[in-house]
Amino acid sequence: MIRTALLGSRFPSGNLWKILPLALLLCTTFVLPALAQEKDKLWRTLSVTGRGVETTPATLAQVSLGVEIQGKTAQEVQQEAARRSSAVVAFLKSQNVEKLQTTGIQLNPVYSYTNNVQRITGYAATNTVSFRIPTEKAGTLLDDAVKAGATQINGISFVANDQAIASAQKQALKEATQDAQQQADAVFSALGFKPKEVVSVQVNNASPPPPPMFLRAEAAKVADASTPVVGGEQQVEASVTLQISY
């Protein structure tokens, strides 16, 4: 009697044994083909990466220049650096330069060494700014900035304007996608496979490389000559990876 009750509580009906195999069969019938299709789709794919490069004129000069003052006391040099920097900034604003910003303010002691003894002999203050100007105006502006009080030309590079870069990025992406598609077509043709669909797209990069920095000189040394500035071209690169099923 006890054994019968236990069996009855675990399996309330004999029909369960008839239904269970049918349910398992139906589950297997639908699940296994679906898994097989997913596995087949996953493994039968080709990944190709295309590259696009677009060149655009570098019409802007990115300039970094500054004022450096040395003197006996920290207050003296800081005040003089601030005065000259204000004059330089005022001049740059009058020239309607783009993206003008302060990039550095420094005040450091100047040391001398006598008999291995370190002694502070003065202070040096440096204020630097960066800005953009049309390339054809850069040479004259650098000369005039020196007259306004700049004592250092820290760097100059050449870049395209934002609109030109955005347009070049789109074109480079288009070229990269076409390059990837052409590579895939060549592989499928060589192997005798027929492509089905693009199952994933990855945009790896679509930006211009950082512009190189050139030219560091004491501005006072070039103040008497007209500074020649020649721009160039800027490259925008993009790469696109396609995964194509077959």
Side-chain angles (χ1 to χ4, degrees):
M1 292 295 293
I2 295 175
R3 182 178 180 183
T4 302
L6 289 174
L7 289 174
S9 63
R10 271 181 86 180
F11 306 107
S13 174
N15 292 332
L16 179 61
W17 294 101
K18 298 178 182 179
I19 297 173
L20 186 58
L22 178 59
L24 291 174
L25 178 60
L26 290 174
C27 182
T28 304
T29 301
F30 288 104
V31 172
L32 289 182
L35 291 175
Q37 290 175 4
E38 288 298 322
K39 182 178 180 181
D40 184 64
K41 186 177 181 180
L42 177 65
W43 286 102
R44 291 181 61 85
T45 59
L46 171 70
S47 293
V48 288
T49 299
R51 182 172 177 265
V53 179
E54 188 68 13
T55 301
T56 186
T59 57
L60 295 174
Q62 177 79 40
V63 181
S64 173
L65 56 77
V67 172
E68 182 178 14
I69 303 295
Q70 293 190 12
K72 292 295 184 180
T73 67
Q75 183 178 6
E76 172 191 349
V77 297
Q78 184 62 28
Q79 288 179 347
E80 181 62 16
R83 186 188 67 80
R84 289 201 189 183
S85 296
S86 296
V88 172
V89 169
F91 164 73
L92 294 175
K93 287 182 177 180
S94 73
Q95 301 302 303
N96 297 318
V97 300
E98 300 177 8
K99 300 186 177 182
L100 175 63
Q101 62 179 347
T102 299
T103 55
I105 298 177
Q106 293 182 338
L107 176 63
N108 298 309
V110 177
Y111 297 97
S112 67
Y113 295 87
T114 304
N115 297 325
N116 294 324
V117 176
Q118 177 179 285
R119 186 169 61 91
I120 295 178
T121 58
Y123 293 86
T126 305
N127 290 4
T128 56
V129 296
S130 68
F131 58 90
R132 287 185 178 183
I133 190 74
T135 302
E136 66 272 13
K137 298 180 180 180
T140 301
L141 183 136
L142 289 175
D143 298 335
D144 291 340
V146 172
K147 295 176 183 178
T151 60
Q152 290 182 337
I153 300 173
N154 298 317
I156 181 169
S157 59
F158 303 99
V159 296
N161 62 51
D162 294 342
Q163 184 178 359
I165 290 176
S167 177
Q169 286 175 338
K170 293 178 182 178
Q171 185 61 31
L173 280 171
K174 183 178 179 180
E175 293 173 3
T177 304
Q178 292 173 343
D179 181 40
Q181 186 67 63
Q182 291 171 1
Q183 291 184 52
D185 291 342
V187 173
F188 285 131
S189 177
L191 296 176
F193 294 151
K194 185 177 181 181
K196 292 181 180 179
E197 61 179 342
V198 177
V199 297
S200 72
V201 179
Q202 180 181 356
V203 178
N204 300 323
N205 188 29
S207 61
M213 297 299 291
F214 314 99
L215 182 63
R216 192 187 190 285
E218 294 296 328
K221 296 180 182 179
V222 299
D224 294 334
S226 178
T227 304
V229 176
V230 181
E233 294 180 326
Q234 184 174 12
Q235 283 190 342
V236 177
E237 300 181 2
S239 61
V240 173
T241 299
L242 303 179
Q243 192 172 23
I244 305 172
S245 64
Y246 59 91

